[in-house]
Amino acid sequence: MKLIVGLGNWQKMYEKTRHNAGFIAIDYYCNKYNIKLDIKKFDGLLFKNSEFIIVQPQTLMNLSGNCVKQIVDFYQIPIKDVLVVYDDINFGIGNFVYTPKGSCGGHNGMGNIINTLATKNIHRIKIGIEKKPEDKILSDYVLEKFTAQQYKMLESYMDEFCLMINDFLVDKPIKSFYKPEN
């Protein structure tokens, strides 16, 4: 059993914000494959079949680990079979960066998952949301909505993200995707 976790804030006011890139990507994947996140359980909204679970935690972002740990413990999912998808300000929009382990890089949702599961050996796909302008406060920046152009650009590369998820589900090596330079 595999677990795919998309991080975001579940409240409607946070739709299409940079910090919800994980939710946005999971929604795209689910729409593409006609998957419905229709089970409310373990402090999350999830889909489950015999091979994998997809979940969007319905907790505060900084408490995402509570949802993930409940699922990992209940279904006895090995950490090597957990993949977390979330936003990262170190990459441009349209870049999807895979890493098999590491620190949270300042992302509080990922940090909570690392602390709750007591390991940094968690697969993750980091979705580029652009560097923060110097004149902005980080918390304000990540909670801003993407511009229409940025959102369209992000969506235009989502099929690459879907391929990364499919590779994870069948234990193929996952390759990061960087958008072509203009």
Side-chain angles (χ1 to χ4, degrees):
M1 173 83 56
K2 304 271 187 175
L3 174 60
I4 300 166
V5 182
L7 297 187
N9 291 298
W10 58 269
Q11 298 95 328
K12 191 140 182 86
M13 63 193 254
Y14 296 114
E15 285 181 359
K16 296 188 178 183
T17 62
R18 290 176 178 86
H19 218 23
N20 267 30
F23 275 17
I24 292 166
I26 291 300
D27 286 342
Y28 187 92
Y29 185 86
C30 289
N31 287 335
K32 181 176 176 105
Y33 294 104
N34 200 27
I35 293 171
K36 305 275 188 244
L37 300 176
D38 57 1
I39 301 168
K40 290 184 178 185
K41 196 171 182 179
F42 307 115
D43 294 322
L45 190 58
L46 60 104
F47 164 83
K48 180 190 175 298
N49 65 18
S50 61
E51 298 169 20
F52 62 91
I53 297 169
I54 299 176
V55 66
Q56 292 176 334
Q58 302 294 289
T59 60
L60 296 173
M61 171 73 82
N62 298 354
L63 298 176
S64 298
N66 298 341
C67 170
V68 176
K69 183 156 178 43
Q70 288 180 69
I71 296 170
V72 165
D73 288 350
F74 187 84
Y75 292 104
Q76 299 179 359
I77 299 172
I79 297 300
K80 71 176 185 57
D81 291 329
V82 176
L83 175 71
V84 181
V85 180
Y86 61 97
D87 58 286
D88 192 307
I89 63 168
N90 295 306
F91 306 101
I93 294 172
N95 293 301
F96 300 92
V97 180
Y98 165 75
T99 57
K101 61 183 176 182
S103 73
C104 68
H107 192 285
N108 291 331
M110 188 64 204
N112 184 254
I113 293 170
I114 288 169
N115 290 335
T116 305
L117 296 180
T119 183
K120 292 181 180 179
N121 296 329
I122 302 167
H123 296 271
R124 76 264 332 247
I125 296 174
K126 299 183 273 189
I127 301 172
I129 62 168
E130 296 287 334
K131 289 200 181 295
K132 173 190 79 64
E134 288 186 27
D135 64 334
K136 296 215 176 183
I137 297 169
L138 181 61
S139 58
D140 293 341
Y141 176 71
V142 298
L143 294 176
E144 285 180 0
K145 292 190 183 296
F146 286 107
T147 66
Q149 181 182 4
Q150 289 171 330
Y151 195 81
K152 187 175 181 178
M153 182 189 305
L154 180 63
E155 281 191 314
S156 72
Y157 293 106
M158 280 294 172
D159 285 336
E160 300 299 333
F161 167 77
C162 292
L163 294 174
M164 294 170 81
I165 294 293
N166 290 340
D167 286 347
F168 177 76
L169 290 174
V170 295
D171 293 320
K172 282 179 66 178
I174 302 171
K175 294 182 183 129
S176 295
F177 175 81
Y178 296 96
K179 70 179 181 182
E181 294 297 321
N182 291 335

